[in-house]
Amino acid sequence: MRTPNNESLTPTTERTRPGGKSPERKCILTGRHGERDELIRLAISPDGDVLPDPRARAPGRGAWLGVSRAELETAMEKGKLKGALARAFKSAPPRVPDDLPAQIDAALLRTLTDRLGLEMRSGHLILGSERIAEHARGGVLSALYHASDASDGGTAKLDQAWRVGMDREGSGEGGTRLPLDRAALSVALGRDNVVHLALADEQAAKRVDQALTRLLHYRNASAGAREDVSEDGAT
């Protein structure tokens, strides 16, 4: 996100954008500012290793990344990450694991599955094609999701029910394919054969979408490419 010309922001500026958005942070590699909830925090372990902190809960100073996995890997190959981390942590260059990009991906994926599990335990998730279709036709759904390996036929039926309920027939809009197959979704939710899921609660939908968007941005997948993202990030 670009900084308006009439504003000057530092890496620690706690500016909140209109609409109650989260405070901004500055990417240590690009210098670009973005909402805290959109960036990835890095922290230093007690042993001096740089580790992902996707929930931004680790104590001490943190560093923020707003780049894709490919951009991070390039920065590591060129030796730019260590210098950026040294400046961010105001210390000697910390130890950067060779598999840091993979660690971040796994952490973001785990954040998404944990969020889905929390919404499940809170009673917010709607499972089962018939129940989802009923809620969809009633126009009460805030979000509709499909497993990455869901059949085109079953997905199309629920997408159509959602468009009818939302009075958007002919728009071509529909649910989002998650970067998780039915096996991974079933494990995350503790249920058998989870293929489709939905949320009626708007705030719950926002929480899930936040975790999903961060993962897809890191994998450098656009919103329009979500359908083609598999669990391991391949297309």
Side-chain angles (χ1 to χ4, degrees):
M1 192 196 73
R2 293 183 179 179
T3 302
N5 293 331
N6 61 346
E7 294 186 39
S8 177
L9 296 177
T10 67
T12 57
T13 297
E14 294 275 353
R15 185 173 69 82
T16 300
R17 285 165 49 180
K21 299 296 182 64
S22 63
E24 286 195 344
R25 293 293 185 269
K26 182 179 179 179
C27 174
I28 61 172
L29 286 174
T30 66
R32 294 192 297 263
H33 291 82
E35 290 180 27
R36 168 184 162 135
D37 291 341
E38 295 174 348
L39 274 65
I40 303 163
R41 187 177 189 264
L42 300 178
I44 298 180
S45 73
D47 295 329
D49 294 319
V50 174
L51 298 175
D53 180 27
R55 293 181 176 84
R57 294 177 180 174
R61 181 183 293 273
W64 297 82
L65 290 177
V67 296
S68 69
R69 178 170 178 167
E71 291 169 327
L72 175 60
E73 290 172 343
T74 298
M76 290 177 63
E77 290 173 1
K78 294 182 177 180
K80 293 182 178 180
L81 181 61
K82 284 190 175 182
L85 286 169
R87 292 189 295 271
F89 288 112
K90 301 185 185 302
S91 64
R95 291 196 301 270
V96 180
D98 292 337
D99 65 343
L100 179 62
Q103 287 188 33
I104 293 175
D105 190 283
L108 293 175
L109 183 63
R110 186 167 56 252
T111 299
L112 173 60
T113 56
D114 288 350
R115 171 47 57 190
L116 290 171
L118 286 170
E119 301 302 343
M120 179 72 183
R121 291 190 289 276
S122 299
H124 292 147
L125 284 186
I126 304 168
L127 303 179
S129 295
E130 291 185 6
R131 287 191 65 217
I132 293 174
E134 180 182 354
H135 283 78
R137 286 190 292 268
V140 297
L141 291 187
S142 294
L144 172 62
Y145 302 106
H146 311 292
S148 62
D149 57 348
S151 70
D152 291 338
T155 296
K157 288 179 181 178
L158 291 180
D159 287 349
Q160 175 63 21
W162 181 84
R163 289 193 292 271
V164 169
M166 298 298 290
D167 196 22
R168 296 180 185 174
E169 293 181 82
S171 68
E173 297 177 14
T176 298
R177 282 194 185 264
L178 295 169
L180 297 159
D181 61 19
R182 66 185 68 195
L185 280 174
S186 300
V187 170
L189 302 180
R191 297 292 183 91
D192 293 332
N193 197 33
V194 178
V195 183
H196 309 281
L197 57 148
L199 288 159
D201 185 90
E202 183 177 354
Q203 293 305 313
K206 287 181 179 179
R207 291 190 291 267
V208 171
D209 191 62
Q210 180 187 95
L212 174 61
T213 299
R214 291 175 71 206
L215 173 61
L216 294 183
H217 281 177
Y218 179 68
R219 291 181 174 181
N220 207 23
S222 66
R226 289 184 182 186
E227 293 185 358
D228 301 321
V229 181
S230 67
E231 184 179 0
D232 62 0
T235 56

mmCIF file of all heavy atoms in Angstrom, residues 14-48:
data_model
loop_
_atom_site.group_PDB
_atom_site.id
_atom_site.type_symbol
_atom_site.label_atom_id
_atom_site.label_comp_id
_atom_site.label_asym_id
_atom_site.label_seq_id
_atom_site.Cartn_x
_atom_site.Cartn_y
_atom_site.Cartn_z
ATOM 1 N N GLU A 14 1.944 4.023 14.279
ATOM 2 C CA GLU A 14 0.743 3.282 14.634
ATOM 3 C C GLU A 14 -0.472 3.970 14.028
ATOM 4 O O GLU A 14 -1.417 4.310 14.717
ATOM 5 C CB GLU A 14 0.591 3.212 16.168
ATOM 6 C CG GLU A 14 1.660 2.416 16.854
ATOM 7 C CD GLU A 14 1.336 0.930 16.869
ATOM 8 O OE1 GLU A 14 0.228 0.586 16.452
ATOM 9 O OE2 GLU A 14 2.189 0.155 17.294
ATOM 10 N N ARG A 15 -0.426 4.170 12.710
ATOM 11 C CA ARG A 15 -1.548 4.837 12.073
ATOM 12 C C ARG A 15 -2.616 3.815 11.716
ATOM 13 O O ARG A 15 -2.325 2.742 11.215
ATOM 14 C CB ARG A 15 -1.102 5.561 10.795
ATOM 15 C CG ARG A 15 -2.217 6.377 10.172
ATOM 16 C CD ARG A 15 -1.683 7.203 9.029
ATOM 17 N NE ARG A 15 -1.288 6.387 7.891
ATOM 18 C CZ ARG A 15 -2.162 5.934 6.977
ATOM 19 N NH1 ARG A 15 -3.440 6.202 7.104
ATOM 20 N NH2 ARG A 15 -1.738 5.224 5.959
ATOM 21 N N THR A 16 -3.853 4.163 11.966
ATOM 22 C CA THR A 16 -4.959 3.290 11.614
ATOM 23 C C THR A 16 -5.705 3.890 10.448
ATOM 24 O O THR A 16 -6.087 5.047 10.480
ATOM 25 C CB THR A 16 -5.919 3.112 12.809
ATOM 26 O OG1 THR A 16 -5.198 2.529 13.885
ATOM 27 C CG2 THR A 16 -7.087 2.217 12.426
ATOM 28 N N ARG A 17 -5.915 3.107 9.404
ATOM 29 C CA ARG A 17 -6.610 3.584 8.236
ATOM 30 C C ARG A 17 -8.100 3.722 8.502
ATOM 31 O O ARG A 17 -8.627 3.101 9.416
ATOM 32 C CB ARG A 17 -6.373 2.598 7.084
ATOM 33 C CG ARG A 17 -4.999 2.704 6.494
ATOM 34 C CD ARG A 17 -4.658 1.527 5.633
ATOM 35 N NE ARG A 17 -5.722 1.243 4.677
ATOM 36 C CZ ARG A 17 -5.650 0.238 3.800
ATOM 37 N NH1 ARG A 17 -4.600 -0.524 3.798
ATOM 38 N NH2 ARG A 17 -6.639 0.012 2.953
ATOM 39 N N PRO A 18 -8.793 4.547 7.688
ATOM 40 C CA PRO A 18 -10.231 4.703 7.861
ATOM 41 C C PRO A 18 -10.932 3.356 7.805
ATOM 42 O O PRO A 18 -10.536 2.464 7.074
ATOM 43 C CB PRO A 18 -10.632 5.586 6.662
ATOM 44 C CG PRO A 18 -9.386 6.326 6.311
ATOM 45 C CD PRO A 18 -8.260 5.387 6.608
ATOM 46 N N GLY A 19 -11.999 3.235 8.593
ATOM 47 C CA GLY A 19 -12.749 2.008 8.602
ATOM 48 C C GLY A 19 -12.295 1.045 9.675
ATOM 49 O O GLY A 19 -12.692 -0.115 9.705
ATOM 50 N N GLY A 20 -11.425 1.505 10.582
ATOM 51 C CA GLY A 20 -11.018 0.666 11.695
ATOM 52 C C GLY A 20 -10.025 -0.408 11.316
ATOM 53 O O GLY A 20 -9.969 -1.452 11.951
ATOM 54 N N LYS A 21 -9.240 -0.190 10.268
ATOM 55 C CA LYS A 21 -8.259 -1.187 9.864
ATOM 56 C C LYS A 21 -7.123 -1.246 10.882
ATOM 57 O O LYS A 21 -6.967 -0.368 11.719
ATOM 58 C CB LYS A 21 -7.714 -0.837 8.481
ATOM 59 C CG LYS A 21 -8.774 -0.818 7.382
ATOM 60 C CD LYS A 21 -9.380 -2.180 7.178
ATOM 61 C CE LYS A 21 -10.404 -2.178 6.043
ATOM 62 N NZ LYS A 21 -9.803 -1.877 4.741
ATOM 63 N N SER A 22 -6.310 -2.306 10.767
ATOM 64 C CA SER A 22 -5.245 -2.497 11.739
ATOM 65 C C SER A 22 -4.108 -1.504 11.511
ATOM 66 O O SER A 22 -3.964 -0.948 10.427
ATOM 67 C CB SER A 22 -4.710 -3.930 11.633
ATOM 68 O OG SER A 22 -4.141 -4.160 10.364
ATOM 69 N N PRO A 23 -3.273 -1.271 12.536
ATOM 70 C CA PRO A 23 -2.130 -0.367 12.386
ATOM 71 C C PRO A 23 -1.210 -0.824 11.268
ATOM 72 O O PRO A 23 -1.189 -1.999 10.909
ATOM 73 C CB PRO A 23 -1.429 -0.462 13.751
ATOM 74 C CG PRO A 23 -2.478 -0.947 14.686
ATOM 75 C CD PRO A 23 -3.363 -1.842 13.889
ATOM 76 N N GLU A 24 -0.443 0.115 10.741
ATOM 77 C CA GLU A 24 0.457 -0.211 9.646
ATOM 78 C C GLU A 24 1.835 -0.624 10.143
ATOM 79 O O GLU A 24 2.275 -0.216 11.212
ATOM 80 C CB GLU A 24 0.607 0.995 8.710
ATOM 81 C CG GLU A 24 -0.617 1.232 7.846
ATOM 82 C CD GLU A 24 -0.306 2.163 6.700
ATOM 83 O OE1 GLU A 24 0.748 2.843 6.756
ATOM 84 O OE2 GLU A 24 -1.105 2.214 5.750
ATOM 85 N N ARG A 25 2.493 -1.445 9.343
ATOM 86 C CA ARG A 25 3.873 -1.828 9.568
ATOM 87 C C ARG A 25 4.623 -1.679 8.237
ATOM 88 O O ARG A 25 4.014 -1.633 7.177
ATOM 89 C CB ARG A 25 3.976 -3.272 10.074
ATOM 90 C CG ARG A 25 3.392 -3.478 11.471
ATOM 91 C CD ARG A 25 4.199 -2.749 12.509
ATOM 92 N NE ARG A 25 3.718 -3.030 13.851
ATOM 93 C CZ ARG A 25 2.808 -2.323 14.495
ATOM 94 N NH1 ARG A 25 2.239 -1.288 13.893
ATOM 95 N NH2 ARG A 25 2.445 -2.637 15.722
ATOM 96 N N LYS A 26 5.945 -1.624 8.332
ATOM 97 C CA LYS A 26 6.777 -1.432 7.150
ATOM 98 C C LYS A 26 7.553 -2.702 6.844
ATOM 99 O O LYS A 26 8.209 -3.272 7.715
ATOM 100 C CB LYS A 26 7.743 -0.268 7.387
ATOM 101 C CG LYS A 26 8.638 0.060 6.200
ATOM 102 C CD LYS A 26 9.529 1.247 6.534
ATOM 103 C CE LYS A 26 10.461 1.591 5.381
ATOM 104 N NZ LYS A 26 11.316 2.758 5.696
ATOM 105 N N CYS A 27 7.474 -3.145 5.606
ATOM 106 C CA CYS A 27 8.229 -4.320 5.180
ATOM 107 C C CYS A 27 9.719 -3.994 5.189
ATOM 108 O O CYS A 27 10.152 -2.992 4.602
ATOM 109 C CB CYS A 27 7.790 -4.747 3.781
ATOM 110 S SG CYS A 27 8.788 -6.090 3.075
ATOM 111 N N ILE A 28 10.513 -4.843 5.828
ATOM 112 C CA ILE A 28 11.938 -4.554 5.969
ATOM 113 C C ILE A 28 12.690 -4.724 4.642
ATOM 114 O O ILE A 28 13.801 -4.226 4.506
ATOM 115 C CB ILE A 28 12.586 -5.453 7.043
ATOM 116 C CG1 ILE A 28 12.474 -6.933 6.660
ATOM 117 C CG2 ILE A 28 11.968 -5.190 8.403
ATOM 118 C CD1 ILE A 28 13.252 -7.857 7.573
ATOM 119 N N LEU A 29 12.093 -5.410 3.676
ATOM 120 C CA LEU A 29 12.772 -5.635 2.411
ATOM 121 C C LEU A 29 12.405 -4.617 1.340
ATOM 122 O O LEU A 29 13.248 -4.211 0.547
ATOM 123 C CB LEU A 29 12.464 -7.043 1.886
ATOM 124 C CG LEU A 29 13.165 -8.197 2.610
ATOM 125 C CD1 LEU A 29 12.667 -9.530 2.087
ATOM 126 C CD2 LEU A 29 14.684 -8.100 2.454
ATOM 127 N N THR A 30 11.150 -4.205 1.304
ATOM 128 C CA THR A 30 10.705 -3.299 0.242
ATOM 129 C C THR A 30 10.512 -1.868 0.715
ATOM 130 O O THR A 30 10.483 -0.949 -0.107
ATOM 131 C CB THR A 30 9.371 -3.785 -0.347
ATOM 132 O OG1 THR A 30 8.344 -3.673 0.665
ATOM 133 C CG2 THR A 30 9.474 -5.231 -0.809
ATOM 134 N N GLY A 31 10.342 -1.675 2.031
ATOM 135 C CA GLY A 31 10.058 -0.341 2.552
ATOM 136 C C GLY A 31 8.608 0.061 2.393
ATOM 137 O O GLY A 31 8.210 1.147 2.827
ATOM 138 N N ARG A 32 7.792 -0.797 1.781
ATOM 139 C CA ARG A 32 6.378 -0.484 1.603
ATOM 140 C C ARG A 32 5.619 -0.712 2.903
ATOM 141 O O ARG A 32 5.948 -1.605 3.678
ATOM 142 C CB ARG A 32 5.759 -1.335 0.493
ATOM 143 C CG ARG A 32 6.313 -1.050 -0.892
ATOM 144 C CD ARG A 32 5.449 -1.702 -1.957
ATOM 145 N NE ARG A 32 5.444 -3.149 -1.825
ATOM 146 C CZ ARG A 32 6.214 -3.964 -2.522
ATOM 147 N NH1 ARG A 32 7.084 -3.471 -3.389
ATOM 148 N NH2 ARG A 32 6.146 -5.275 -2.360
ATOM 149 N N HIS A 33 4.597 0.109 3.111
ATOM 150 C CA HIS A 33 3.762 -0.021 4.291
ATOM 151 C C HIS A 33 2.510 -0.830 3.983
ATOM 152 O O HIS A 33 1.990 -0.791 2.871
ATOM 153 C CB HIS A 33 3.348 1.358 4.819
ATOM 154 C CG HIS A 33 4.471 2.139 5.408
ATOM 155 N ND1 HIS A 33 5.352 2.856 4.627
ATOM 156 C CD2 HIS A 33 4.873 2.308 6.695
ATOM 157 C CE1 HIS A 33 6.247 3.444 5.409
ATOM 158 N NE2 HIS A 33 5.978 3.120 6.662
ATOM 159 N N GLY A 34 2.046 -1.541 4.959
ATOM 160 C CA GLY A 34 0.815 -2.304 4.834
ATOM 161 C C GLY A 34 0.208 -2.513 6.193
ATOM 162 O O GLY A 34 0.846 -2.287 7.226
ATOM 163 N N GLU A 35 -1.038 -2.937 6.194
ATOM 164 C CA GLU A 35 -1.688 -3.209 7.474
ATOM 165 C C GLU A 35 -0.980 -4.354 8.183
ATOM 166 O O GLU A 35 -0.530 -5.310 7.554
ATOM 167 C CB GLU A 35 -3.155 -3.571 7.248
ATOM 168 C CG GLU A 35 -4.004 -2.414 6.788
ATOM 169 C CD GLU A 35 -5.439 -2.829 6.583
ATOM 170 O OE1 GLU A 35 -5.876 -3.792 7.245
ATOM 171 O OE2 GLU A 35 -6.122 -2.200 5.770
ATOM 172 N N ARG A 36 -0.902 -4.236 9.487
ATOM 173 C CA ARG A 36 -0.244 -5.263 10.300
ATOM 174 C C ARG A 36 -0.825 -6.648 10.028
ATOM 175 O O ARG A 36 -0.099 -7.637 9.967
ATOM 176 C CB ARG A 36 -0.416 -4.893 11.773
ATOM 177 C CG ARG A 36 -0.045 -5.991 12.755
ATOM 178 C CD ARG A 36 -0.350 -5.554 14.160
ATOM 179 N NE ARG A 36 -0.416 -6.702 15.061
ATOM 180 C CZ ARG A 36 0.144 -6.744 16.249
ATOM 181 N NH1 ARG A 36 0.809 -5.705 16.694
ATOM 182 N NH2 ARG A 36 0.046 -7.812 17.000
ATOM 183 N N ASP A 37 -2.147 -6.718 9.835
ATOM 184 C CA ASP A 37 -2.792 -8.012 9.622
ATOM 185 C C ASP A 37 -2.474 -8.616 8.271
ATOM 186 O O ASP A 37 -2.765 -9.785 8.025
ATOM 187 C CB ASP A 37 -4.313 -7.871 9.759
ATOM 188 C CG ASP A 37 -4.727 -7.588 11.195
ATOM 189 O OD1 ASP A 37 -3.925 -7.855 12.107
ATOM 190 O OD2 ASP A 37 -5.854 -7.094 11.403
ATOM 191 N N GLU A 38 -1.883 -7.831 7.372
ATOM 192 C CA GLU A 38 -1.556 -8.337 6.043
ATOM 193 C C GLU A 38 -0.101 -8.767 5.938
ATOM 194 O O GLU A 38 0.262 -9.506 5.018
ATOM 195 C CB GLU A 38 -1.834 -7.253 4.992
ATOM 196 C CG GLU A 38 -3.307 -6.879 4.886
ATOM 197 C CD GLU A 38 -3.522 -5.712 3.945
ATOM 198 O OE1 GLU A 38 -2.518 -5.064 3.560
ATOM 199 O OE2 GLU A 38 -4.686 -5.439 3.607
ATOM 200 N N LEU A 39 0.745 -8.293 6.852
ATOM 201 C CA LEU A 39 2.164 -8.618 6.811
ATOM 202 C C LEU A 39 2.478 -9.803 7.724
ATOM 203 O O LEU A 39 1.645 -10.230 8.519
ATOM 204 C CB LEU A 39 2.999 -7.400 7.225
ATOM 205 C CG LEU A 39 3.345 -6.415 6.101
ATOM 206 C CD1 LEU A 39 2.092 -5.755 5.549
ATOM 207 C CD2 LEU A 39 4.309 -5.352 6.596
ATOM 208 N N ILE A 40 3.692 -10.299 7.602
ATOM 209 C CA ILE A 40 4.137 -11.448 8.391
ATOM 210 C C ILE A 40 5.221 -10.992 9.350
ATOM 211 O O ILE A 40 6.220 -10.382 8.926
ATOM 212 C CB ILE A 40 4.698 -12.552 7.476
ATOM 213 C CG1 ILE A 40 3.648 -12.967 6.444
ATOM 214 C CG2 ILE A 40 5.164 -13.752 8.295
ATOM 215 C CD1 ILE A 40 4.222 -13.719 5.269
ATOM 216 N N ARG A 41 5.045 -11.257 10.627
ATOM 217 C CA ARG A 41 6.027 -10.857 11.633
ATOM 218 C C ARG A 41 7.081 -11.947 11.806
ATOM 219 O O ARG A 41 6.767 -13.142 11.832
ATOM 220 C CB ARG A 41 5.348 -10.580 12.972
ATOM 221 C CG ARG A 41 6.286 -10.000 14.042
ATOM 222 C CD ARG A 41 5.504 -9.692 15.316
ATOM 223 N NE ARG A 41 6.283 -8.958 16.273
ATOM 224 C CZ ARG A 41 6.964 -9.508 17.292
ATOM 225 N NH1 ARG A 41 6.957 -10.823 17.449
ATOM 226 N NH2 ARG A 41 7.646 -8.756 18.130
ATOM 227 N N LEU A 42 8.325 -11.520 11.936
ATOM 228 C CA LEU A 42 9.425 -12.411 12.268
ATOM 229 C C LEU A 42 9.923 -12.058 13.660
ATOM 230 O O LEU A 42 9.946 -10.886 14.049
ATOM 231 C CB LEU A 42 10.571 -12.266 11.265
ATOM 232 C CG LEU A 42 10.262 -12.568 9.800
ATOM 233 C CD1 LEU A 42 11.504 -12.315 8.950
ATOM 234 C CD2 LEU A 42 9.781 -13.998 9.628
ATOM 235 N N ALA A 43 10.325 -13.070 14.400
ATOM 236 C CA ALA A 43 10.864 -12.861 15.746
ATOM 237 C C ALA A 43 12.142 -13.679 15.889
ATOM 238 O O ALA A 43 12.443 -14.537 15.052
ATOM 239 C CB ALA A 43 9.835 -13.280 16.793
ATOM 240 N N ILE A 44 12.890 -13.402 16.947
ATOM 241 C CA ILE A 44 14.122 -14.145 17.216
ATOM 242 C C ILE A 44 13.889 -15.079 18.386
ATOM 243 O O ILE A 44 13.398 -14.670 19.444
ATOM 244 C CB ILE A 44 15.287 -13.187 17.533
ATOM 245 C CG1 ILE A 44 15.568 -12.286 16.323
ATOM 246 C CG2 ILE A 44 16.543 -13.973 17.884
ATOM 247 C CD1 ILE A 44 16.709 -11.319 16.545
ATOM 248 N N SER A 45 14.235 -16.349 18.199
ATOM 249 C CA SER A 45 14.080 -17.343 19.256
ATOM 250 C C SER A 45 15.145 -17.129 20.329
ATOM 251 O O SER A 45 16.129 -16.420 20.107
ATOM 252 C CB SER A 45 14.211 -18.749 18.668
ATOM 253 O OG SER A 45 15.567 -19.023 18.347
ATOM 254 N N PRO A 46 14.987 -17.754 21.492
ATOM 255 C CA PRO A 46 16.023 -17.647 22.538
ATOM 256 C C PRO A 46 17.396 -18.129 22.067
ATOM 257 O O PRO A 46 18.419 -17.707 22.600
ATOM 258 C CB PRO A 46 15.470 -18.543 23.655
ATOM 259 C CG PRO A 46 13.985 -18.513 23.461
ATOM 260 C CD PRO A 46 13.791 -18.468 21.977
ATOM 261 N N ASP A 47 17.414 -18.996 21.060
ATOM 262 C CA ASP A 47 18.682 -19.503 20.531
ATOM 263 C C ASP A 47 19.270 -18.609 19.451
ATOM 264 O O ASP A 47 20.343 -18.901 18.909
ATOM 265 C CB ASP A 47 18.481 -20.919 19.959
ATOM 266 C CG ASP A 47 18.110 -21.916 21.046
ATOM 267 O OD1 ASP A 47 18.557 -21.735 22.190
ATOM 268 O OD2 ASP A 47 17.369 -22.869 20.734
ATOM 269 N N GLY A 48 18.564 -17.521 19.118
ATOM 270 C CA GLY A 48 19.084 -16.587 18.143
ATOM 271 C C GLY A 48 18.686 -16.854 16.710
ATOM 272 O O GLY A 48 19.249 -16.270 15.780
#
